[in-house]
Amino acid sequence: MTRVAIVTGGSRGIGRAAAERLAADGMAVVIVYAGNKTEADKAVEEIKAAGGQAIAARADVADEIALGAAFDLAAETFGGVDVVVNSAGIMPLGTVADMDLDVFDRLMRTNARGTFVVSQQAARKLRNGGAIINLSSSVVGLRFPQYGAYAMSKGGVEALTLVLARELRGRDITVNAVAPGPTATALFLEGKDEATIDTLAKQAPLERIGSPEDIAEVISFLAGPARWINGQVVRANGGII
């Protein structure tokens, strides 16, 4: 039986790399995207061109109706859902003093409520023996200025992940979070000059910025062979912390 993965935020960045890697691992993939249909369709075509199976589904992760429909589409098309990778997220920056609260609410809707909605659907619909992988961030531990709202949302993701792992006792479903460090995605690179990126690259003992493929490798491990890793946060950041 082919395993089936849903990847939110799968049209770009870490989500895109994760979708491509899981497809290469032999899974059928449903790429959930918020608005960039062009990139989502391109990701599907590239997976198919490489011999994999993929479809795209548009859904706001914070909308339980739309997200539930994406899970139903996965079941109708491929027979069920075994793996969920929740990589949808936004990262507006600002100090606590200056952060616009409308921006804060939007961030929390996508990162916190969105992760909860995805986790809820996964808890209800995943086949036994599956895996849930949420995306946190190493900034939870690094505590960079201007990342207060983002770190707050991702701290909640980590707490939810560990609780859900315990709630799914008896179903052989693993629940883990991956917390990337600085990674070369549009989300991370936007608004940063070369000097800032170089400084961040030097923080890791490996002296480089991570790639989406670096994170996808960890996701692949947690989605497949890592059956004895459960209720953990894996900080994939080259050794910054």
Side-chain angles (χ1 to χ4, degrees):
M1 183 180 69
T2 299
R3 281 163 65 82
V4 180
I6 289 178
V7 181
T8 71
S11 65
R12 292 184 293 178
I14 289 170
R16 173 81 161 264
E20 292 174 350
R21 176 60 184 264
L22 294 180
D25 291 343
M27 297 187 195
V29 178
V30 179
I31 293 173
V32 176
Y33 67 98
N36 197 330
K37 185 178 189 301
T38 300
E39 284 301 315
D41 288 344
K42 185 177 176 184
V44 167
E45 290 309 312
E46 288 182 358
I47 288 170
K48 287 182 175 179
Q53 300 180 75
I55 58 173
R58 182 171 185 168
D60 171 2
V61 289
D63 180 343
E64 67 274 21
I65 304 300
L67 207 277
F71 271 78
D72 291 343
L73 179 65
E76 291 162 8
T77 307
F78 297 122
V81 182
D82 303 283
V83 173
V84 172
V85 179
N86 187 34
S87 60
I90 59 175
M91 194 172 64
L93 303 181
T95 64
V96 174
D98 295 333
M99 172 67 75
D100 182 291
L101 291 179
D102 287 340
V103 174
F104 174 84
D105 288 344
R106 185 165 58 88
L107 183 151
M108 294 301 289
R109 175 179 167 80
T110 298
N111 294 7
R113 178 187 166 95
T115 299
F116 192 94
V117 169
V118 172
S119 295
Q120 184 176 72
Q121 289 293 319
R124 292 173 177 174
K125 297 177 179 177
L126 229 61
R127 292 189 284 212
N128 290 359
I132 299 169
I133 301 116
N134 289 322
L135 267 290
S136 178
S137 170
S138 285
V139 80
V140 173
L142 293 171
R143 306 177 187 97
F144 291 146
Q146 298 196 50
Y147 283 80
Y150 182 72
M152 182 180 174
S153 73
K154 292 301 188 179
V157 168
E158 293 187 5
L160 176 69
T161 298
L162 307 190
V163 170
L164 184 57
R166 286 147 184 80
E167 289 183 350
L168 295 182
R169 173 185 291 274
R171 290 177 55 188
D172 190 29
I173 293 173
T174 62
V175 189
N176 295 288
V178 178
T183 305
T185 65
L187 183 72
F188 173 77
L189 296 174
E190 184 179 356
K192 294 181 176 68
D193 59 28
E194 200 66 38
T196 300
I197 294 168
D198 287 345
T199 299
L200 289 168
K202 288 183 172 62
Q203 289 191 351
L206 298 178
E207 295 190 331
R208 66 176 175 86
I209 297 288
S211 71
E213 290 72 25
D214 289 325
I215 311 306
E217 184 173 46
V218 181
I219 291 169
S220 169
F221 179 59
L222 294 174
R227 299 308 304 166
W228 198 233
I229 299 176
N230 190 29
Q232 304 299 315
V233 178
V234 181
R235 304 216 176 280
N237 58 29
I240 295 177
I241 54 172

